[in-house]
Amino acid sequence: MQEAVIRKLPSTFVDKIWGVDRLPAPFPHPSQNRIGEVWFAPPDELDELLVKYIFTSERLSVQAHPDDRQAQGMRLGSMGKSECWVILDAEPGATIAVGFRDVITPEEMRASALDGTIVDKLVWHEVRAGDVFYIPAGTVHAIGGGVSLIEIQQNSDITFRLFDYGRPRDLHLDQAVQVATTGPYPEQLRTRMGKDAGLLVDGPHFRLHYWRAQGSVPLPKLGQAPSLLIPFSGEVSFEGETLGAGDCALASAIHDKSVSGDGLLLIAQARY
């Protein structure tokens, strides 16, 4: 049996103009500025994936990301970016946008980005805790205000903004239109955490499971690959390390291992 090593990943707090004035517990608020993201440093053993928390008080920009092939063709020096969102909390009526209501042409997309009507062409989904959206590269998307979520993504920072509500940041219309999917979001890519366990994302770059610990229970048999353990709620213990909401840890192996405590755990693994 492979010995499992676990270590918590260091985090970085990122100021954002659309962030929140006060982070929810258990996070400290380390500055006088609005905090929008908390990033966890990708470990060398699993540097294909990046985990972050996102907290919004306003709508984020409308954007799209390239896939691996497009990023390589654009000579961006990075992999593409597919991601998923796990909703932690949401104010009543809070929404996220993924995909268009109808198929549009690239020319229509550019024109609507310039005049702001792109916001109305997107589908805005009301969200609540436990909702999960897999966002393949190319999907035009935006996060609304009043949302807290966990994002698991390919470790890439390539973002092409189509519309940003007049904020003084650069747009990337040519690149965004080039990589964007022009139709509706596939409904099967949206799911929700149930009572005990399940597979949330089975994409080409990573898988995401969830697992409920009540007492001491064996973890799912997911092979010998390293895993990122991200508590969604409660507190769990694995190999002598206690993890709670706001933590992210690397486990070198979880096969034939058990977790104890009372909490809901996300388990992310890269696809090789």
Side-chain angles (χ1 to χ4, degrees), residues 54-152:
I54 298 178
F55 307 99
T56 70
S57 61
E58 306 170 11
R59 282 183 171 180
L60 276 63
S61 62
V62 177
Q63 54 189 240
H65 311 294
D67 61 23
D68 291 351
R69 179 186 58 79
Q70 291 165 332
Q72 183 177 20
M74 292 177 169
R75 301 178 183 270
L76 296 174
S78 174
M79 68 182 75
K81 183 177 175 182
S82 291
E83 59 196 337
C84 79
W85 297 334
V86 182
I87 307 299
L88 276 171
D89 193 22
E91 296 176 1
T95 57
I96 61 104
V98 283
F100 292 99
R101 294 186 182 279
D102 303 294
V103 175
I104 66 173
T105 66
E107 293 74 22
E108 290 171 328
M109 190 189 309
R110 169 183 270 278
S112 64
L114 288 171
D115 65 19
T117 59
I118 192 170
V119 173
D120 301 317
K121 289 180 169 60
L122 295 168
V123 178
W124 292 85
H125 302 262
E126 190 168 339
V127 293
R128 58 193 175 103
D131 288 341
V132 181
F133 293 80
Y134 174 54
I135 314 291
T139 306
V140 177
H141 60 277
I143 303 173
V147 177
S148 299
L149 60 82
I150 299 172
E151 180 174 284
I152 298 97

Side-chain angles (χ1 to χ4, degrees), residues 228-251:
L228 295 176
L229 307 182
I230 312 148
F232 179 83
S233 62
E235 192 172 83
V236 300
S237 294
F238 177 76
E239 297 294 293
E241 185 73 71
T242 299
L243 306 174
D247 288 328
C248 179
L250 171 74

Side-chain angles (χ1 to χ4, degrees), residues 166-181:
R167 298 182 184 118
R169 298 194 295 177
D170 292 337
L171 299 179
H172 317 94
L173 295 183
D174 291 340
Q175 299 97 321
V177 169
Q178 181 179 344
V179 306
T181 302

Side-chain angles (χ1 to χ4, degrees), residues 9 11-12 14 16 18 27 36-42 49-55 60 63 65 81 83-86 88 143 148-159 228 230 246-248 266:
L9 302 182
S11 58
T12 301
V14 183
K16 295 289 185 180
W18 42 258
F27 292 100
E37 298 177 347
V38 181
W39 294 43
F40 294 93
L49 299 183
L50 173 67
V51 174
K52 65 175 80 163
Y53 283 78
I54 298 178
F55 307 99
L60 276 63
Q63 54 189 240
H65 311 294
K81 183 177 175 182
E83 59 196 337
C84 79
W85 297 334
V86 182
L88 276 171
I143 303 173
S148 299
L149 60 82
I150 299 172
E151 180 174 284
I152 298 97
Q153 60 162 89
Q154 288 182 271
N155 185 13
S156 169
D157 62 356
I158 302 172
T159 295
L228 295 176
I230 312 148
D247 288 328
C248 179
L266 299 172

Side-chain angles (χ1 to χ4, degrees), residues 177-199:
V177 169
Q178 181 179 344
V179 306
T181 302
T182 58
Y185 175 72
E187 187 61 29
Q188 67 269 23
L189 299 184
R190 176 182 182 174
T191 186
R192 181 169 173 79
M193 287 190 285
K195 183 178 180 181
D196 294 317
L199 177 64

